[in-house]
C-alpha cells in the first residue's frame, strides 16, 4: 500500500520537470520566466564604481559624501541600462486592466447627453427633402410647401 502512494507522489513530482519534456499526459512548455539578462552586468558595474569611489576618495572625503556620490552613480547606471534594455512593445502591453480603446465617459458628459439638445441625424431621403427649402439640416414647413407645390 505504501508503494502505491509512493508511485503517486513520484508521478506528481516528475510531471513536467523541464521545458519540452513529454511525460505522457502533455508536453510541458513553460517552466518559468528567466531573469533579465543585464542584472549581473548592472550589479558588477555598480560594484566597480563603489570600489573606485572608495579608492579614489580615501580618507579625504566624509562617508556621507561618498554615499551621495555612490547613490547618484548607481541611479545613473540604472537609467542607462533601462534605456538600452529591450522591453516588450506593441498591442495592449502596459495598459491598465488591458485598457479600453474607447475613453470612459465622465458623469458630466453623460448628463450633457441626456439633458442637452438632441441631435438627430437625417437619413438620405430626409436630407433630400430638407435641402428643398429653408434649413438644410432639418425638415420644416417651407420644405413641405415646396413638396406640395411639386406634385
Amino acid at each position: 500500500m505504501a508503494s502505491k502512494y509512493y508511485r503517486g507522489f513520484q508521478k506528481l513530482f516528475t510531471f513536467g520537470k523541464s521545458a519540452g519534456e513529454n511525460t505522457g499526459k502533455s508536453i510541458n512548455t513553460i517552466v518559468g520566466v528567466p531573469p533579465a539578462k543585464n542584472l549581473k552586468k548592472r550589479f558588477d558595474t555598480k560594484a566597480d564604481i563603489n570600489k573606485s569611489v572608495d579608492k579614489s576618495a580615501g580618507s579625504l572625503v566624509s562617508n556621507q559624501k561618498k554615499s551621495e556620490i555612490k547613490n547618484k552613480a548607481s541611479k545613473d547606471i540604472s537609467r542607462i541600462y533601462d534605456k538600452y534594455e529591450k522591453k516588450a512593445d506593441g498591442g495592449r502591453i502596459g495598459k491598465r486592466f488591458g485598457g479600453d480603446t474607447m475613453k470612459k465617459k465622465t458623469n458630466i458628459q453623460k448628463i450633457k447627453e441626456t439633458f442637452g439638445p438632441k441631435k438627430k441625424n437625417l437619413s438620405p431621403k430626409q436630407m433630400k427633402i430638407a435641402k428643398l427649402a429653408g434649413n438644410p439640416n432639418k425638415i420644416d414647413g417651407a420644405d413641405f410647401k415646396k413638396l406640395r407645390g411639386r406634385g
Side-chain angles (χ1 to χ4, degrees), residues 7 10 13 20 29 31 42 51 57-59 61 69 75 77 80 85 93 96 117 124 126 135 140:
R7 270 188 261 122
Q10 188 178 21
F13 289 116
T29 54
V31 175
R42 185 183 297 209
K51 286 178 187 174
S59 61
V61 181
I69 294 169
K75 284 180 186 175
I77 289 169
I80 291 167
E85 190 174 289
I93 296 170
R96 187 170 184 223
Q126 290 172 330
N135 187 355
D140 50 6

Side-chain angles (χ1 to χ4, degrees), residues 74-112:
S74 66
K75 284 180 186 175
D76 290 342
I77 289 169
S78 293
R79 195 177 311 121
I80 291 167
Y81 272 95
D82 289 341
K83 185 177 181 181
Y84 293 105
E85 190 174 289
K86 285 286 182 188
K87 301 278 186 187
D89 57 350
R92 305 298 304 163
I93 296 170
K95 303 291 182 192
R96 187 170 184 223
F97 304 121
D100 278 336
T101 54
M102 300 296 289
K103 187 181 171 191
K104 191 175 179 182
K105 291 182 183 175
T106 63
N107 290 337
I108 296 168
Q109 286 174 328
K110 291 176 190 173
I111 291 168
K112 282 181 181 175

Side-chain angles (χ1 to χ4, degrees), residues 118-129:
K118 306 286 189 272
K119 286 190 175 181
K120 185 178 177 188
N121 294 333
L122 299 175
S123 69
K125 269 187 182 179
Q126 290 172 330
M127 290 291 279
K128 286 180 185 175
I129 296 169

